[in-house]
Amino acid sequence: MYAVLYIINAVNSKDIILGKLNEQQRVAVQTTEGPLLVFAGAGSGKTRVITNRIAYLITEKNVSPKNIMAVTFTKKAAGEMQERVVSLLKELNIDTKDVPLIGTFHSIGALFLRQNARDVGLMPNFSICDSTDTENLIKDILIEKNIDVKQIKPESIAYFISDAKNELISPEQFSQHYGGFIEDIVADIYPLYQKQLRLQNSVDFGDLIYLTVKLLSEDKKVLSYYQDIYRYILIDEYQDTNTAQYMFAKLLSQKYQNICVVGDDDQGIYGWRGADIKNIQSFERDFKNVKVVKLEQNYRSTGNVISAAMSVIQQNVFRVNKKLWTEKDSGNPITVYQARDQDDEAQYVVDEINRLRKNGISLVDIAVLYRTNYQSRAIEEAMLKNGIPYKLVGGFRFYDRKEIKDILSYMRFIFNLKDDLSITRVLNTPNRKIGPKSIAAIHSIAKKCGCSIGEVLVGAYSIKNSLEKHEEMDDREYKKVESVMDDIMNFSPIVDLFGSLYFGSQGMDVLSVIDLILEKTKYIEWFDDSSQEAEYKKENIEELKNVAAAYSQKFGNNSLEIFLQEINLIELEQSKNQDGSGNYVNLMTLHSSKGLEFDYVFIVGVEEGILPHSRSFTDEEELEEERRLCYVGITRAKEKLYLTFSERRLSREGYSTQIPSRFLGEIPQNICDYYSWQS
């Protein structure tokens, strides 16, 4: 009787785990021993394979959950995987008191370090520094060494140190791998920074993997302990691993070789943050007797979308050969639209969304994707003007981005001396060593004068430079400012800056005002380093200048007032745009779209210099990553794909002619419908 029930339960378990899988998915789930490389194409059901494989190990191979480790890249992905595994085990009537270790590389690294803290010179209660803590610590070291933090920014040093840790480069080895002016400074700061971290019983984010790998490499006893516990290792998104993460996985799996890595080299789009696509491409060389499984059936997209995606990605030379396919029919043709300019492009997208909306399509099923953040500006404004709710995924609305808000605050100060909110925002931006006490003191001086902060600063500048008082200030106010000159001149650099900005900008058009702000404040120099984030900030500022240029050309010296008025209206519309329904069009970068899917997808700005990005023109590897990025964007679409490009784009010099992206030319014409603003 019990034997019969066991057999029935075993059959039921297998049916639950394997019943809905295709042949290749079953192979991936059932290949439990030895190294396994799973190439999981876009929309091929890799998450189901990973979770079902864990369940199969537990139910069919009698592997204890304590002997299984599953690693992914984000806290969200780890949480979702945990939920799916627990749900599946409950469906199989398996006790979920003990579950596999499922987490990110960094969370698992932190766990290992706390368990072995003293072996790496730490106490178990060590703190984990965030980016602000890291930069402040580096800043203190720079000041101690008499290095000007305005010239050598702490965030630049932090960037190089983080990169070094990702590459497993120690402080002692740094100078052997990096060369240059700032790198020589980093070589000096890096060991001092690490020493200071230890004195504070702290680690930074990079240490969580760097120190863990160091521990496992140097302490064979500790390594063997973890190898014996985690005999079965699964790693998701393996194409996104960096050198440190790669070594972590290699060391842990050395003894039993039961490592399953899942990924897709065609979706490797994070080279700029240290990911090395060669890790997945060379997996077969790193391990012996590797079983390779290719999940090539796509369950997400129509035939035309898959055809477009494959036609693009197959142009890459450095990729593993595989071909995505689907049982779905061809579906809608790919729509390619040639816009007159970015405003026409945005309006076309909005018009199409309105048409889809009228046909019963929910806004939440629509996504607009773009290569870089600055491109959202035109789309956002078109959506606001047409009353279409939208949500920025993985970022801020254009006019909510810090660098844009900072520059707008300077502009509002120039336009309105009484705008204390705007002035307060930028009193210490860029950093001028003006702390909360100093800001409070400036507020107190202004209150004593009965003036705004702007009036005090400008008035003090006038007096200091023996100029006549500004016409906006009456005698009473002027005398009050004069009486506290001694107090305010303690902040002489602030007085000089804001005074010169105010008087220097009078009679200027809005573009010239922005140029003056950037010049006087050295705002771009403040954050400019080799990071991707800095590049995005510069692109956003350039887009703001492009918009300002149009106002300057049209309205001349009145353009500042009209521009700020328009921005205020946009911000008002943004506040109204949040209707609480949850039904929004999704706006995001191509990078942010990875792992998501939508019925209707627009990819805008498919032009040379944007997609692919101009910096890839001279680097074959970067160009291939741009093509992978395009592939990722295309494969987000389930039902319908739109690709748009502009004939020209507005810049401060006027309109520049744009060239359609080479990726458009790689898509078969017979699956596309072509439209133009001229037709």
Side-chain angles (χ1 to χ4, degrees):
M1 175 71 175
Y2 291 110
V4 172
L5 286 173
Y6 176 81
I7 292 169
I8 291 172
N9 285 333
V11 171
N12 288 341
S13 296
K14 275 194 173 182
D15 187 56
I16 291 171
I17 295 171
L18 304 174
K20 296 180 180 179
L21 305 181
N22 64 38
E23 183 180 349
Q24 289 304 302
Q25 289 174 331
R26 288 193 193 98
V27 172
V29 168
Q30 293 180 289
T31 304
T32 58
E33 309 304 309
L36 174 65
L37 170 59
V38 181
F39 284 105
S44 63
K46 71 177 177 71
T47 306
R48 174 178 286 182
V49 167
I50 293 171
T51 54
N52 285 31
R53 192 173 193 274
I54 292 172
Y56 188 86
L57 283 167
I58 295 170
T59 59
E60 305 303 320
K61 295 295 180 177
N62 295 317
V63 177
S64 169
K66 294 179 180 179
N67 296 136
I68 302 171
M69 173 192 294
V71 190
T72 187
F73 274 83
T74 67
K75 186 177 179 181
K76 181 183 177 185
E80 290 175 352
M81 188 181 292
Q82 180 100 6
E83 288 177 9
R84 293 180 68 162
V85 167
V86 169
S87 177
L88 182 55
L89 292 177
K90 285 181 177 178
E91 187 180 354
L92 293 164
N93 294 316
I94 304 296
D95 188 358
T96 56
K97 182 177 68 174
D98 293 323
V99 294
L101 175 61
I102 301 175
T104 65
F105 278 102
H106 292 96
S107 68
I108 293 172
L111 174 67
F112 284 16
L113 288 181
R114 292 206 187 277
Q115 292 172 344
N116 303 273
R118 288 179 174 81
D119 293 330
V120 292
L122 294 166
M123 300 292 289
N125 64 335
F126 62 80
S127 301
I128 301 173
C129 297
D130 60 19
S131 58
T132 302
D133 296 329
T134 293
E135 290 170 15
N136 285 337
L137 184 54
I138 292 171
K139 180 182 176 181
D140 291 341
I141 297 171
L142 290 170
I143 292 171
E144 190 176 318
K145 293 187 69 67
N146 295 316
I147 297 173
D148 189 351
V149 294
K150 292 181 180 179
Q151 298 297 318
I152 306 297
K153 293 177 287 296
E155 53 265 39
S156 299
I157 304 293
Y159 172 82
F160 279 104
I161 292 175
S162 176
D163 189 64
K165 290 179 179 182
N166 289 340
E167 294 297 318
L168 297 176
I169 296 170
S170 69
E172 296 75 24
Q173 298 167 326
F174 186 88
S175 59
Q176 302 170 24
H177 294 266
Y178 297 85
F181 172 71
I182 190 164
E183 289 87 345
D184 290 343
I185 296 173
V186 177
D188 190 27
I189 299 299
Y190 188 4
L192 298 174
Y193 169 72
Q194 288 300 106
K195 183 180 179 180
Q196 198 60 38
L197 282 176
R198 296 300 168 272
L199 288 173
Q200 297 182 12
N201 191 37
S202 299
V203 298
D204 63 18
F205 205 56
D207 280 330
L208 296 177
I209 304 298
Y210 171 72
L211 291 178
T212 300
V213 171
K214 192 172 186 293
L215 171 70
L216 298 176
S217 301
E218 297 176 356
D219 194 323
K220 302 303 179 186
K221 186 177 178 181
V222 172
L223 175 62
S224 181
Y225 170 80
Y226 285 115
Q227 287 175 334
D228 286 336
I229 293 178
Y230 302 110
R231 301 188 179 201
Y232 294 86
I233 300 168
L234 299 91
I235 301 177
D236 192 16
E237 304 287 5
Y238 194 68
Q239 78 279 349
D240 294 334
T241 53
N242 58 35
T243 300
Q245 293 160 343
Y246 160 80
M247 282 303 301
F248 174 80
K250 190 174 181 179
L251 285 165
L252 275 184
S253 60
Q254 248 175 12
K255 189 171 186 177
Y256 295 99
Q257 300 279 299
N258 296 325
I259 179 171
C260 169
V261 301
V262 183
D264 183 10
D265 59 325
D266 288 337
Q267 298 185 73
I269 59 174
Y270 295 121
W272 52 273
R273 69 182 189 193
D276 189 349
I277 198 169
K278 295 183 181 65
N279 290 345
I280 192 169
Q281 293 173 336
S282 62
F283 186 81
E284 291 178 81
R285 294 198 298 270
D286 292 335
F287 294 87
K288 295 180 180 179
N289 302 316
V290 175
K291 175 75 172 179
V292 179
V293 178
K294 296 179 181 179
L295 306 182
E296 297 172 297
Q297 184 176 358
N298 176 283
Y299 293 93
R300 175 186 299 156
S301 307
T302 63
N304 282 338
V305 171
I306 297 301
S307 179
M310 291 308 303
S311 296
V312 171
I313 200 63
Q314 285 176 338
Q315 304 303 313
N316 274 359
V317 176
F318 304 107
R319 65 182 290 270
V320 175
N321 185 41
K322 50 195 169 308
K323 186 174 177 62
L324 212 59
W325 61 276
T326 181
E327 289 183 343
K328 292 187 175 184
D329 60 25
S330 298
N332 297 302
I334 312 300
T335 292
V336 180
Y337 179 72
Q338 180 186 37
R340 187 170 184 265
D341 52 33
Q342 63 262 54
D343 291 330
D344 178 59
E345 179 181 51
Q347 191 58 51
Y348 171 79
V349 171
V350 164
D351 289 343
E352 277 299 299
I353 290 172
N354 274 328
R355 187 183 64 79
L356 293 170
R357 200 177 185 182
K358 288 177 182 177
N359 290 334
I361 305 301
S362 177
L363 294 179
V364 76
D365 294 324
I366 303 171
V368 182
L369 313 181
Y370 35 84
R371 173 63 179 84
T372 54
N373 279 295
Y374 77 86
Q375 292 173 265
S376 78
R377 196 272 313 165
I379 304 294
E380 287 186 67
E381 291 186 15
M383 292 216 176
L384 290 169
K385 288 176 183 176
N386 288 268
I388 298 176
Y390 68 92
K391 178 177 70 173
L392 262 293
V393 179
F396 295 98
R397 296 170 182 247
F398 183 81
Y399 292 107
D400 287 340
R401 292 165 192 166
K402 183 181 185 309
E403 59 276 13
I404 302 300
K405 289 180 76 71
D406 286 345
I407 294 169
L408 288 175
S409 292
Y410 277 109
M411 294 165 72
R412 285 166 174 151
F413 148 74
I414 288 168
F415 182 70
N416 177 15
L417 288 180
K418 294 183 179 294
D419 188 346
D420 274 1
L421 286 175
S422 293
I423 298 169
T424 301
R425 176 182 176 88
V426 291
L427 272 175
N428 196 42
T429 303
N431 193 308
R432 306 182 182 95
K433 301 179 182 179
I434 305 291
K437 289 184 178 179
S438 296
I439 292 174
I442 294 172
H443 274 275
S444 178
I445 293 168
K447 187 177 181 182
K448 183 179 179 181
C449 293
C451 305
S452 70
I453 294 173
E455 289 171 330
V456 169
L457 295 175
V458 170
Y461 181 83
S462 297
I463 297 170
K464 183 182 176 183
N465 291 278
S466 301
L467 298 176
E468 294 182 4
K469 68 179 187 296
H470 192 260
E471 61 185 8
E472 290 185 8
M473 301 180 66
D474 60 32
D475 290 337
R476 184 178 59 85
E477 290 173 334
Y478 188 75
K479 287 177 181 177
K480 286 182 178 179
V481 172
E482 194 173 21
S483 71
V484 294
M485 275 296 295
D486 289 341
D487 291 333
I488 195 63
M489 291 316 297
N490 290 325
F491 307 98
S492 183
I494 302 296
V495 170
D496 289 343
L497 173 65
F498 282 83
S500 64
L501 279 175
Y502 181 78
F503 288 111
S505 62
Q506 298 307 300
M508 282 186 173
D509 61 83
V510 62
L511 179 59
S512 299
V513 170
I514 294 175
D515 284 338
L516 181 69
I517 291 167
L518 295 175
E519 177 195 345
K520 292 287 187 180
T521 63
K522 300 189 183 305
Y523 189 89
I524 291 177
E525 291 87 339
W526 177 50
F527 63 75
D528 190 16
D529 54 35
S530 50
S531 69
Q532 192 73 46
E533 184 182 358
E535 188 68 27
Y536 289 151
K537 287 181 178 180
K538 286 191 283 185
E539 288 176 342
N540 286 331
I541 291 171
E542 198 61 35
E543 179 67 8
L544 183 70
K545 290 164 70 175
N546 292 341
V547 178
Y551 281 82
S552 293
Q553 292 168 15
K554 189 174 181 179
F555 302 106
N557 293 346
N558 295 321
S559 56
L560 176 61
E561 177 182 358
I562 297 170
F563 180 78
L564 289 176
Q565 180 178 301
E566 185 65 23
I567 299 301
N568 288 337
L569 291 173
I570 289 170
E571 291 174 332
L572 179 63
E573 289 299 320
Q574 284 180 334
S575 65
K576 294 178 180 177
N577 192 256
Q578 302 292 330
D579 63 7
S581 69
N583 190 28
Y584 306 117
V585 175
N586 298 274
L587 271 59
M588 69 193 79
T589 64
L590 287 161
H591 284 99
S592 296
S593 74
K594 189 163 179 288
L596 304 176
E597 60 182 36
F598 304 92
D599 288 344
Y600 298 84
V601 171
F602 295 81
I603 304 179
V604 299
V606 191
E607 303 154 26
E608 292 290 299
I610 298 179
L611 182 67
H613 199 283
S614 56
R615 63 172 169 263
S616 70
F617 289 172
T618 57
D619 189 310
E620 192 172 2
E621 288 188 4
E622 284 200 24
L623 181 59
E624 291 215 348
E625 181 157 321
E626 290 292 303
R627 187 173 277 109
R628 293 194 294 270
L629 189 58
C630 183
Y631 170 83
V632 166
I634 291 172
T635 54
R636 299 312 94 192
K638 296 165 67 176
E639 299 293 333
K640 173 72 177 177
L641 175 68
Y642 297 83
L643 304 172
T644 68
F645 66 96
S646 297
E647 279 187 6
R648 60 181 193 170
R649 287 192 177 268
L650 183 64
S651 68
R652 63 179 301 163
E653 289 81 21
Y655 283 100
S656 59
T657 302
Q658 300 296 109
I659 301 172
S661 170
R662 67 193 73 188
F663 303 153
L664 287 173
E666 294 166 0
I667 298 173
Q669 293 186 13
N670 65 313
I671 66 171
C672 298
D673 284 342
Y674 296 90
Y675 300 92
S676 171
W677 67 275
Q678 296 174 313
S679 59

